Amino acid sequence: MIKSCTLRALFYVLLWSFCSSATLFAQTFKINGAVKGGSQKPLNGAVVSLLTAKDSAFVKAAVTETDGQFEFVGIKSNVYLLMVTHLGHQKSVSTPFEVGNADVNWPTIVLQESNKNLAEVTVKGKKPFVETKIDRTVVNVDALISNAGTNALEVLEKSPGLAVDQNGGIRLKGKSGVVVFVDDKPTYLSADDLANYLKSLPAGSVETIEIMPNPPAKYDAAGNAGVINIRLKKNVLRGFNGGLSLSYGQGVYRRTNNSLNFNYRVNQFNFFSSLSVNQNNSYQDLTIWRRYYDSAGKFSSAFTQNSYIQRNNGGNSVKAGFDYYASKKTTFGLVLNGFYNPSRNNVTNKAQVLDAKNEVTNFVEALSPTDRIWKNGSINLNFAHKFDSTGKELSTNIDYIHYQSTSDQTLTNTILDAKNQFVSRSILVSYLPTTIDIGTAKVDYVHPTSDGGRFETGVKTSIIGTGNIADFFDILDGKPSPNYEFTNNFNYNENINASYVNYSRNWKQWSLQAGLRFENTIIKGHQLGNKQTKDSTFTRKYNSFFPTLYLQYRLDSTNTHQMGFSFGRRIDRPNYQDMNPFSYPLDRFTYYGGNPFLQPTFSYNFELSHTFKNKITTTLQYSIAKNVISETNEQRGTIYYSRPGNFGQRISYGISVNGSFQLAKWWTLNLYTEYINNGFKATLYGQRLDDSRFYWVVVPTNQIQINSSWSAELASSYQSTFLLGQLLVYPIGSVRAGIAKKVLKNQGALKLNVSDIFYTNQIKGDIRNIANASANWFSYLDSRVVTLSFSYRFNKGKTLNLRQTGGSENEKSRVRS
């Protein structure tokens, strides 16, 4: 109660500050204008600096858009100068002018081309680790040394507000149900396959991570916890240019992540490509304890199991495409993507069964090797047309994506008596092919309005078809015999049709963005029968509206103090294969399966934030979600069944703080912390779950600049006991360190880092609310890794802005095989 009152009091203080601050600051004004070259063509990328006329002191800067326009907002009354610079042009400095009682519309500035040969100019600057925008938080990946030589999943683990569990599940500020995009295109993958894909994506190929708890209406409404958009590195220069990243890491097992990207601009064509080749080997040493009770609650038996899982995951991906600039206003593009990820997992299980006296009755040994190939191919066709210099633009994206997976598994189960004498052996083999075909088409239109706002609208349709075959055979006397308990064939089809409108505008101190999205969903599932199971089908149709709203209030003219508010309604649809009703065995004591009765999750998310000096952002959050999809566990005899299920309600609220502190000229501290309460209510398999719990996370990251070429990093993380549905995860933490050296005239870098130095990033917890049973687990992971990496960037050419392409925006996040 005290903690709740404290949060409520802080909420009112921030709200009072938000409402009363308008009276604390003087009236401000806006300055706008345009910059053109000597040929009267708009100049894109010109730097416009606002200076005080009295002493030429810098006030703020703006960069011109493609139409040459620039704008300053929140400017106080004073006398100023405008200084304009652009590569290859002469600098221009205006005469003094006064900002008094009205906005200033500055006449068009024309820069003359320079006839002098310019010496090479080196601009030294350091990107901040985290940047805050009105609708998202942006993480600059290269800002952390410890990201070098790692993969995209490990990068997410170090991003503020994000957590990754041992199975690759991603949470945002304590909430599951995150949808991951790559370059504004969804990954279309389930949690397991997404984790494997992100492990195959080198951190060296990632530019930024965009974290959006309430994404704009332009994005698909999927993901009740929000959207993470991974932006890959893109070259923006004419000529031939690119980057190379190589790394080798050694834990208990080795891993390597390597990538190459380049682009070449010639005449009206721009060609671009990227390639990655990776191998990530690791292990998990998992121990599970299960205790069983009779109806009176008296202990009846127990089961203890140790599983050593050795994972060998390969990752090979390629991307290639081109843009054709048919005219200054019209562009066509083609992008091809594909990956080929082979893997082999060897699982060795050793277990013992105990009776009511805690005496061993049987030993169980199981071997389960799995060979899998997971591959993908996709094509994107895109078109963009600018109608005029005001920014009116029409864009179209058409995508086709094909996934194919094959998995061969053998489960050999041997039972021994208490004296280690052979009792019986069973062999179960399986062949699990999966195909997924996804087609999407999308049209977007942008229309600037006369009042300085921006109107956006668009439509999208997606069609998904999946086929899942599971052929299981018992090996009897050396011959295969069909196992109809597990054999099944499941087909799933889905069609989502959507449209949206979005409006945004900036005033002197206020910024507004509001949107509304509509989605129509049609689902059909068909479970083909076999000799033991009849055919079954299901069909679902539903329509939903998803509003979004963002407000930002600038408390001062320099925009260093801000208040923000956001609201959004979201949906989390089941993964395609999660609705397959059949089960399959992990071993003879643990079965995994789907749930055809899953309902979509709907959530309402609110955030109120305050930014102090553009360095410290404090956010209050509240979220309520119905029918939350999460893992559930049921006990039947001696077999555990794990399957996705709906929790009736989840309420999450709390506070988070993200700040950057310059403790010394050479020392920067980035600090993130959150204190959040998660509460769940549900009835699962006859057991009532009604619990809530606060948890605390703190992540300090120290960045040290030793000299112009050497830098270092020391960071750590800690999470207290965490509640996630039926799971209670105990405290966990780690420490990492790294050092970097610039080489090859600052175009290359060598980096050495060590993760989980003290080997403390090991997970344990309890599984609760299971009828007549209790369970807990402890997991050792291959988390302490020493990594050496080398990166090199090369370029020859002038600046060229490449377009963002991609029309599919949600479906990939829900593929499961």
Side-chain angles (χ1 to χ4, degrees):
M1 179 64 70
I2 294 176
K3 295 174 181 176
S4 178
C5 291
T6 302
L7 285 174
R8 191 179 299 113
L10 181 57
F11 176 86
Y12 287 131
V13 169
L14 286 172
L15 185 60
W16 174 82
S17 300
F18 184 86
C19 296
S20 63
S21 57
T23 63
L24 300 179
F25 299 92
Q27 186 178 10
T28 59
F29 302 93
K30 179 170 64 175
I31 303 171
N32 55 43
V35 180
K36 293 184 178 181
S39 59
Q40 295 297 312
K41 295 181 179 180
L43 283 183
N44 178 25
V47 178
V48 184
S49 300
L50 183 66
L51 314 174
T52 56
K54 180 180 179 180
D55 53 8
S56 296
F58 176 80
V59 179
K60 60 171 56 179
V63 178
T64 57
E65 303 292 341
T66 55
D67 56 2
Q69 298 288 325
F70 68 89
E71 182 180 71
F72 295 104
V73 296
I75 304 303
K76 291 182 178 180
S77 298
N78 203 342
V79 180
Y80 297 99
L81 301 170
L82 285 177
M83 181 177 70
V84 186
T85 59
H86 190 275
L87 186 65
H89 293 78
Q90 297 179 15
K91 179 174 68 176
S92 171
V93 180
S94 74
T95 57
F97 66 96
E98 182 178 5
V99 176
N101 299 317
D103 295 339
V104 175
N105 294 314
W106 193 260
T108 299
I109 300 170
V110 179
L111 298 185
Q112 299 300 320
E113 292 187 3
S114 175
N115 55 6
K116 297 181 180 181
N117 293 325
L118 298 179
E120 181 180 358
V121 178
T122 301
V123 180
K124 294 185 178 180
K126 185 178 181 181
K127 284 187 177 181
F129 175 42
V130 176
E131 298 178 77
T132 303
K133 299 186 178 182
I134 187 173
D135 58 0
R136 68 196 66 191
T137 297
V138 180
V139 178
N140 292 302
V141 174
D142 285 342
L144 290 188
I145 296 172
S146 57
N147 283 334
T150 63
N151 56 60
L153 188 65
E154 293 171 295
V155 170
L156 293 182
E157 286 186 282
K158 301 166 191 171
S159 301
L162 297 181
V164 180
D165 63 29
Q166 63 184 12
N167 298 317
I170 301 170
R171 300 191 305 272
L172 173 55
K173 293 186 178 180
K175 297 179 292 183
S176 57
V178 179
V179 173
V180 175
F181 288 65
V182 175
D183 285 337
D184 284 324
K185 298 177 66 176
T187 50
Y188 294 109
L189 301 172
S190 68
D192 292 341
D193 290 323
L194 175 61
N196 290 331
Y197 168 68
L198 294 178
K199 289 177 183 177
S200 72
L201 187 64
S205 65
V206 179
E207 184 75 28
T208 59
I209 304 292
E210 296 178 343
I211 304 171
M212 295 174 275
N214 284 322
K218 184 176 181 178
Y219 284 86
D220 291 7
N224 71 83
V227 165
I228 298 170
N229 186 33
I230 300 174
R231 290 201 179 275
L232 302 181
K233 290 180 177 177
K234 293 182 175 64
N235 294 295
V236 292
L237 301 175
R238 294 181 184 270
F240 181 75
N241 47 83
L244 171 70
S245 177
L246 305 172
S247 75
Y248 178 85
Q250 185 68 56
V252 173
Y253 298 101
R254 70 176 182 89
R255 56 195 72 185
T256 178
N257 291 281
N258 312 290
S259 64
L260 170 68
N261 64 82
F262 70 87
N263 82 287
Y264 178 63
R265 171 71 186 268
V266 56
N267 299 326
Q268 292 175 285
F269 286 90
N270 184 72
F271 299 91
F272 53 90
S273 181
S274 63
L275 173 70
S276 67
V277 179
N278 317 287
Q279 183 66 41
N280 286 280
N281 303 325
S282 63
Y283 79 91
Q284 180 181 2
D285 191 349
L286 173 65
T287 302
I288 300 174
W289 297 270
R290 301 173 184 170
R291 297 174 64 85
Y292 309 115
Y293 306 89
D294 60 23
S295 57
K298 184 179 178 181
F299 172 70
S300 59
S301 61
F303 173 79
T304 303
Q305 179 183 30
N306 175 261
S307 299
Y308 186 85
I309 307 168
Q310 182 179 347
R311 299 185 174 98
N312 301 297
N313 297 320
N316 309 281
S317 65
V318 63
K319 175 181 180 180
F322 69 87
D323 290 319
Y324 171 63
Y325 299 89
S327 69
K328 296 179 181 179
K329 295 182 178 180
T330 304
T331 307
F332 296 88
L334 168 70
V335 184
L336 302 174
N337 281 280
F339 65 72
Y340 179 85
N341 296 344
S343 65
R344 180 175 178 84
N345 292 347
N346 288 313
V347 183
T348 302
N349 290 320
K350 293 185 178 181
Q352 56 184 12
V353 181
L354 299 90
D355 60 17
K357 297 179 181 180
N358 250 348
E359 295 179 352
V360 176
T361 60
N362 290 106
F363 292 100
V364 181
E365 296 180 356
L367 299 176
S368 180
T370 302
D371 290 298
R372 186 185 184 213
I373 295 176
W374 179 233
K375 54 187 177 181
N376 153 275
S378 67
I379 182 171
N380 165 257
L381 300 173
N382 57 82
F383 163 82
H385 177 74
K386 296 179 180 179
F387 292 93
D388 52 36
S389 61
T390 65
K392 297 177 185 176
E393 182 175 355
L394 178 72
S395 60
T396 301
N397 281 272
I398 300 175
D399 291 86
Y400 172 72
I401 305 102
H402 175 76
Y403 288 95
Q404 186 172 339
S405 170
T406 57
S407 179
D408 298 307
Q409 182 184 45
T410 300
L411 175 59
T412 302
N413 205 71
T414 304
I415 299 178
L416 309 172
D417 64 17
K419 296 181 180 181
N420 264 322
Q421 299 298 313
F422 177 82
V423 176
S424 64
R425 175 176 290 128
S426 63
I427 301 175
L428 180 68
V429 297
S430 62
Y431 175 66
L432 311 172
T434 297
T435 59
I436 302 173
D437 292 285
I438 301 170
T440 69
K442 179 183 178 184
V443 178
D444 297 287
Y445 175 69
V446 178
H447 185 96
T449 58
S450 59
D451 59 3
R454 177 184 171 97
F455 174 78
E456 298 175 82
T457 186
V459 294
K460 176 188 174 182
T461 185
S462 64
I463 300 174
I464 301 98
T466 75
N468 309 272
I469 298 174
D471 288 329
F472 284 84
F473 300 89
D474 293 307
I475 304 300
L476 304 175
D477 297 326
K479 297 180 180 180
S481 175
N483 182 307
Y484 295 111
E485 179 184 2
F486 302 124
T487 294
N488 73 94
N489 188 340
F490 179 68
N491 296 319
Y492 178 91
N493 294 280
E494 179 183 273
N495 174 219
I496 299 176
N497 304 292
S499 62
Y500 75 92
V501 292
N502 194 77
Y503 177 76
S504 59
R505 185 183 174 188
N506 293 321
W507 287 270
K508 296 174 183 178
Q509 290 179 278
W510 287 90
S511 291
L512 164 72
Q513 184 177 158
L516 181 65
R517 187 178 186 88
F518 170 78
E519 292 189 352
N520 160 255
T521 305
I522 304 171
I523 295 172
K524 295 180 180 180
H526 182 196
Q527 174 65 60
L528 281 69
N530 56 42
K531 292 183 177 180
Q532 295 182 5
T533 305
K534 295 181 179 180
D535 275 20
S536 62
T537 61
F538 61 85
T539 300
R540 296 197 185 131
K541 299 179 182 180
Y542 48 88
N543 302 314
S544 300
F545 286 94
F546 301 95
T548 55
L549 174 66
Y550 311 88
L551 293 172
Q552 189 177 69
Y553 181 72
R554 293 171 284 278
L555 302 177
D556 64 340
S557 61
T558 60
N559 298 339
T560 58
H561 302 279
Q562 302 174 1
M563 295 289 296
F565 172 81
S566 69
F567 160 74
R569 183 175 188 253
R570 310 290 298 166
I571 186 175
D572 193 14
R573 297 180 180 88
N575 290 325
Y576 306 132
Q577 285 81 355
D578 277 352
M579 302 182 78
N580 186 342
F582 268 65
S583 299
Y584 65 93
L586 177 66
D587 53 53
R588 286 299 191 185
F589 300 94
T590 307
Y591 288 4
Y592 287 85
N595 182 354
F597 304 105
L598 283 175
Q599 297 295 321
T601 303
F602 288 95
S603 64
Y604 296 85
N605 304 311
F606 303 82
E607 286 195 349
L608 178 65
S609 66
H610 174 264
T611 300
F612 177 75
K613 290 187 176 181
N614 279 338
K615 293 183 178 180
I616 305 174
T617 299
T618 304
T619 304
L620 296 177
Q621 71 168 62
Y622 178 84
S623 173
I624 182 169
K626 300 289 186 180
N627 292 324
V628 176
I629 300 173
S630 186
E631 178 187 353
T632 66
N633 293 273
E634 179 190 16
Q635 179 69 32
R636 294 185 192 174
T638 59
I639 297 178
Y640 261 59
Y641 287 85
S642 178
R643 63 174 68 89
N646 286 117
F647 288 77
Q649 176 178 282
R650 182 197 65 204
I651 294 179
S652 176
Y653 62 90
I655 185 171
S656 63
V657 180
N658 188 67
S660 179
F661 307 91
Q662 194 72 41
L663 302 181
K665 186 177 180 180
W666 49 270
W667 180 12
T668 302
L669 170 64
N670 297 290
L671 179 65
Y672 176 81
T673 185
E674 65 187 34
Y675 187 65
I676 294 175
N677 182 284
N678 278 335
F680 294 86
K681 293 183 179 180
T683 299
L684 301 172
Y685 312 112
Q687 299 298 301
R688 181 63 179 168
L689 172 65
D690 187 352
D691 196 5
S692 65
R693 185 182 294 256
F694 274 97
Y695 74 92
W696 178 52
V697 168
V698 60
V699 185
T701 303
N702 297 277
Q703 295 176 289
I704 300 170
Q705 192 66 46
I706 301 172
N707 55 38
S708 60
S709 61
W710 285 91
S711 58
E713 178 183 309
L714 178 64
S716 62
S717 64
Y718 172 80
Q719 176 185 286
S720 64
T721 301
F722 180 84
L723 178 65
L724 182 62
Q726 284 183 284
L727 306 180
L728 189 66
V729 182
Y730 292 130
I732 190 172
S734 67
V735 176
R736 66 179 187 271
I739 190 167
K741 173 71 168 68
K742 294 180 181 178
V743 296
L744 301 176
K745 298 181 179 181
N746 293 337
Q747 288 185 284
L750 282 171
K751 299 180 181 180
L752 177 69
N753 63 75
V754 185
S755 62
D756 196 16
I757 295 173
F758 301 105
Y759 202 59
T760 54
N761 193 28
Q762 313 306 324
I763 302 175
K764 62 180 179 179
D766 297 334
I767 305 175
R768 308 182 308 154
N769 295 89
I770 303 175
N772 302 322
S774 63
N776 48 58
W777 84 92
F778 188 89
S779 180
Y780 284 101
L781 304 170
D782 195 5
S783 57
R784 181 164 55 199
V785 181
V786 180
T787 303
L788 176 66
S789 69
F790 168 76
S791 60
Y792 179 74
R793 301 299 297 270
F794 56 90
N795 63 77
K796 290 183 179 180
K798 300 178 181 179
T799 58
L800 166 70
N801 291 323
L802 296 184
R803 301 180 305 121
Q804 302 290 328
T805 60
S808 48
E809 294 177 350
N810 171 58
E811 295 77 10
K812 282 184 182 177
S813 60
R814 294 165 51 227
V815 174
R816 181 169 183 165
S817 63

